[in-house]
Amino acid sequence: MTAITTTTLRTGHIGLNVTDLARSLAFYGDLLGFQVLREGKEDGRRFAFLGRDGRVELALWQQADGPYAPARAGLHHLAFEAESLDGVREAEARLTAHGVDFAHDGVVAHAEGAASGGIFFHDPDGTRLEIYAPSGAEGAPAPYAAAPTCGFF
């Protein structure tokens, strides 16, 4: 197999199937700060493109009939990078105030002794989410001694 060499590929946007678009818009928009850039409200074809500064980062498709299934192949988790650990803690406070459940208490390191770390939680459909900072988590606990924190929650 030969890799594509003429184009540099990077992630454009992530698409998530959701069970209730209005509920997911409140979560991703109101709690996480994404702006609705476009919304389709046609019966049977509900969707929303979310992002910042006019750039689509997340697409929500109301076509799931059940919650996220972590044991199935596909999306493992979705991680959002904050500029600093202070930004992670601000997000944690906002999510906590709205009753979101976390996989771990407070900010945890990505691995034992790692500088990066964050918070791990679930959206209304159970999709695993992470908000992390690339540095500042030195000294924070790591839930698993020999495995990456983001791999098992």
Side-chain angles (χ1 to χ4, degrees), residues 83-114:
E83 290 182 16
S84 68
L85 212 54
D86 287 340
V88 174
R89 289 192 176 105
E90 283 178 30
E92 178 187 23
R94 185 166 178 83
L95 293 165
T96 298
H98 285 85
V100 172
D101 291 320
F102 293 85
H104 309 290
D105 289 333
V107 172
V108 295
H110 276 134
E112 205 64 47

